[in-house]
Amino acid sequence: MSTTGQIIRCKAAVAWEAGKPLVMEEVEVAPPQKHEVRIKILFTSLCHTDVYFWEAKGQTPLFPRIFGHEAGGIVESVGEGVTDLQPGDHVLPIFTGECGDCPHCHSEESNMCDLLRINTERGGMIHDGESRFSINGKPIHHFLGTSTFSEYTVVHSGQVAKINPDAPLDKVCIVSCGLSTGLGATLNVAKPKKGQSVAIFGLGAVGLAAAEGARIAGASRIIGVDLNSQRFDQAKEFGVTEFVNPKDHDKPVQQVIAEMTNGGVDRSVECTGSVQAMIQAFECVHDGWGVAVLVGVPSKDDAFKTHPMNFLNERTLKGTFFGNYKPKTDIPGVVEKYMNKELELEKFITHTLPFSEINKAFDYMLKGESIRCIITMGA
Ligand code: NAD
Ligand code: ZN
């Protein structure tokens, strides 16, 4: 029986209060409106950004809310004006979008769409500001326009990447956020040449994805830098060849790396969010050609301080958002890299859970035990 145009009742994990376990609820999901699609989510994973906004430290809390933004599913129905997606399409919802019409979408260099770029404060849909989720008539806020901790969700069609239907959604769902951010930071922005050396600061999911990019690019040395030595064993599987824990050295990390590499690494990618690490990542690249890329999100009052001579000596500093990938145009190609066995995803997946146990995924992440935990909906 078709559910098109009907309200769907399904299970969702609702965050009623900051930092409190999610509660499984029956929610009503309204049909998609103009330029929206309703998606049956099959798999979702948990990313640090969900945990950060669920804890709601240092931001305006917005509750009740349905979190989740890294997922894979199948289109159930489409709203008015949606021409590029249809029921049955296999898709990844993405926290940032591509309207196709703004100066950013027209620029080859940008993925910062004016209409659909990430907005963490918005709790409703762009079309009318309203939520498509409710419980007994009480609206539940959306998160990042994706809200994938629900068996069905409504997403703007500009935030939906249509992918190869043969791709296993329980693996490629991780492509919709952290994996692409780190991978693209290396492949699209740092662009190491074959045989070059790359330093990766921060060996969480994003840093390990950046290391995967360095491996694919054919880097000769991948130097992992992390304050947590436990991250090092895991990182070996990601092609990281050497490790530096800044705590083990009296000298600044920049100097340690310069000594290891005859003057500096060719490329560095910072994936920590620490401003000290950002400065170190810049100052450790080789003069003349070194490029450093910032990915981590700093604290509100941070300032980046370095001597201008570091720039004059022909070092380049860049930053990137979602690995410079345009979500609709480029993400299907990242999935193809996995299908062609160029990209390895399995090693990122350290845990799996049924939807009913989603709260455990928060524990794994908070304890630093998981890289990615895949949650099976309907289980
Ligand atoms: P994570 O917490 O899993 O990993 C961060 C790692 O950095 C940890 O292992 C930690 O020990 C290490 N670290 C912290 N401070 C350090 C320092 N001074 N020197 C060396 N290592 C240090 O986080 P993650 O999920 O991998 O995300 C990494 C960063 O990327 C976060 O800041 C996140 O907000 C950001 N991010 C950015 C984008 C983007 O589009 N730019 C997208 C997603 C995530
Ligand atoms: Zn746009």
Side-chain angles (χ1 to χ4, degrees):
M1 239 183 53
S2 168
T3 42
T4 305
Q6 318 271 316
I7 287 171
I8 291 180
R9 288 172 174 276
C10 68
K11 272 192 268 168
V14 177
W16 290 98
E17 274 180 77
K20 296 276 164 63
L22 308 185
V23 182
M24 265 319 152
E25 303 278 4
E26 187 175 87
V27 296
E28 295 195 330
V29 186
Q33 303 297 308
K34 199 171 178 185
H35 299 311
E36 295 171 1
V37 297
R38 190 161 55 184
I39 302 170
K40 179 175 189 177
I41 299 293
L42 298 185
F43 299 95
T44 186
S45 47
L46 178 66
C47 166
H48 239 125
T49 314
D50 297 306
V51 176
Y52 187 62
F53 281 85
W54 164 74
E55 288 179 324
K57 294 176 186 157
Q59 328 113 12
T60 330
L62 195 59
F63 293 93
R65 205 168 198 189
I66 297 175
F67 287 103
H69 64 284
E70 207 176 83
I74 297 179
V75 174
E76 174 268 339
S77 62
V78 305
E80 188 194 328
V82 176
T83 52
D84 64 330
L85 292 162
Q86 52 184 359
D89 284 346
H90 286 219
V91 293
L92 305 182
I94 297 185
F95 66 89
T96 184
E98 190 179 346
C99 75
D101 273 336
C102 71
H104 289 276
C105 287
H106 286 154
S107 160
E108 264 181 34
E109 291 171 315
S110 173
N111 65 346
M112 308 266 296
C113 174
D114 276 336
L115 182 69
L116 296 169
R117 78 168 66 162
I118 185 171
N119 182 334
T120 57
E121 311 254 301
R122 193 190 299 127
M125 298 304 289
I126 285 183
H127 176 57
D128 54 9
E130 304 282 319
S131 173
R132 303 286 173 260
F133 296 109
S134 59
I135 297 178
N136 300 325
K138 180 182 168 66
I140 310 292
H141 294 292
H142 292 246
F143 178 62
L144 304 182
T146 52
S147 293
T148 61
F149 297 163
S150 174
E151 290 174 327
Y152 286 85
T153 188
V154 176
V155 181
H156 191 288
S157 64
Q159 284 180 248
V160 179
K162 179 175 162 175
I163 61 161
N164 183 342
D166 294 333
L169 288 169
D170 61 336
K171 307 286 187 305
V172 299
C173 59
I174 66 170
V175 168
S176 84
C177 175
L179 186 280
S180 301
T181 296
L183 186 76
T186 305
L187 291 180
N188 301 335
V189 191
K191 295 184 185 166
K193 298 185 178 80
K194 202 169 180 337
Q196 285 194 322
S197 57
V198 181
I200 310 282
F201 285 72
L203 300 172
V206 175
L208 293 174
E212 179 69 357
R215 183 189 70 78
I216 292 172
S220 57
R221 296 173 72 180
I222 307 177
I223 302 171
V225 184
D226 202 298
L227 296 171
N228 177 359
S229 294
Q230 283 173 349
R231 297 273 185 182
F232 292 167
D233 271 342
Q234 211 164 31
K236 277 183 204 151
E237 280 182 54
F238 293 79
V240 174
T241 54
E242 292 143 272
F243 301 106
V244 177
N245 186 335
K247 288 187 194 158
D248 295 343
H249 300 271
D250 298 327
K251 300 178 238 186
V253 163
Q254 302 81 315
Q255 202 179 324
V256 174
I257 292 178
E259 286 169 11
M260 285 167 74
T261 54
N262 222 346
V265 279
D266 301 306
R267 300 289 186 263
S268 74
V269 186
E270 177 280 328
C271 307
T272 69
S274 148
V275 71
Q276 285 79 25
M278 293 178 188
I279 295 166
Q280 291 160 358
F282 174 58
E283 294 181 353
C284 81
V285 298
H286 207 287
D287 56 3
W289 60 77
V291 178
V293 177
L294 307 187
V295 178
V297 178
S299 304
K300 201 160 61 68
D301 300 322
D302 280 337
F304 186 100
K305 188 165 176 282
T306 191
H307 197 280
M309 210 57 208
N310 291 322
F311 289 99
L312 298 186
N313 288 340
E314 301 179 1
R315 291 181 183 88
T316 303
L317 178 63
K318 296 182 172 187
T320 177
F321 174 70
F322 195 48
N324 266 46
Y325 286 118
K326 287 186 193 280
K328 285 176 86 80
T329 307
D330 299 332
I331 291 306
V334 179
V335 169
E336 287 315 303
K337 273 194 203 296
Y338 169 71
M339 297 302 279
N340 300 336
K341 301 196 169 16
E342 239 181 287
L343 170 66
E344 294 169 12
L345 296 180
E346 284 78 2
K347 60 193 179 187
F348 288 88
I349 300 168
T350 52
H351 297 74
T352 54
L353 282 174
F355 189 33
S356 55
E357 294 179 33
I358 188 169
N359 285 303
K360 278 193 192 162
F362 282 69
D363 295 338
Y364 296 147
M365 179 146 285
L366 288 168
K367 287 189 200 142
E369 286 175 7
S370 59
I371 303 176
R372 277 298 182 260
C373 176
I374 306 294
I375 296 155
T376 307
M377 309 305 283

